[in-house]
Amino acid sequence: MTDTHPGQHDDQPESAFAQALAGSEDTHLPSGFELIARDEELGPKILRSLGEVEERLDRAVHYTDALADVAARHLLEAGGKRVRPLLTLLAAEISGGINDDTIEAAVVTELTHLATLYHDDVMDDASKRRGADAAHTIWGNSVAILTGDLIFSRASLMVSDLGARALAVQARTFERLVLGQLYETAGANPDEDQLAHYIKVIEGKTGSLIAAACEYGSHLAGAEEQTVQTLIRYGELVGVAFQLADDVIDVTGSRQTSGKTPGTDLREGVPTLPSILVRKAAEDGDEEARRIVDLIEADLSSDEALARAVEALGAHPATNTAWAIAYRWADDAIRTLEPLPETTVKQALKSFAEAVVHRDS
């Protein structure tokens, strides 16, 4: 995998659609999908579909009860990249074409993701989400958890109209999301490899829903089962790569680009790939790694202590090793796509896999 950010090595001029997209403050494409924006036919189609997704999301979180309505809208209105809905639509487009069911499924994936954020913020005691106050800091833990449950319920109700397989995808994904959180909460067993345990956690918490997005889109567009399975595997791999990159960005990114204080995961005591690797190095006798473990296990409540821990961990070879692991997952995701026909969508999916590990936020 090269260090070239997708889209930056292409000297082709941007289309009128791409220029309009760049100026849009509403629906937009996440980094890695510049190829879609340059396609005069596919670009407007995807943007229109995302616009429909946004309208349906707005309707889906509307409740007659005032508290339910304002709490359910809270994170939706805070924004988001809409990666999962976009992948649902692209999986559909490469499999037979976007239709009403695939748009509905795209809404389901984002609702499910939103619901997990309400729960995650309570469990992590996070104060901010997408630049806004976390729901539990406004209404308390109980309301935040119940709001997440409410959104899960709405997603399940919507998917019940999409057929037996779609309903099974939602149930299985919900189970994997919960198991991933449970594994993280319980921690690794004494005889379990820490890195293997961590991969199991993020396969459940992150990979499962992105894989589901790809399965929804391809299945509901009428793809052959081989194509469906290819896209499921791609989603699983790229989802893990995305989270692994997030881990490294937590100690290498800047506050200005990432939107959060570097080292937030360290301060909250959340195991991440760099911290797992540096602990392994310390166990193997690396004295500098031992010093860093002492730093990250100390009281990190002050910004100065946190900054020292972040700088030390970022400078250790464990962080470069963490990047290399994330790159391998992204490369595997790209290789998984090889059986699919050569189209703009396929190239965009490859570019997205590269972009998730070549970013700073």
Side-chain angles (χ1 to χ4, degrees), residues 184-201:
E184 181 178 70
T185 302
N189 296 323
D191 59 345
E192 187 177 10
D193 178 77
Q194 289 286 339
L195 180 56
H197 174 265
Y198 181 62
I199 294 296
K200 182 172 69 174
V201 167

Side-chain angles (χ1 to χ4, degrees), residues 172-173 176-177 202-213 235-236:
R172 184 172 60 249
T173 303
R176 291 189 64 198
L177 288 165
I202 61 177
E203 283 177 335
K205 290 188 62 177
T206 306
S208 65
L209 186 52
I210 294 181
E236 187 88 28

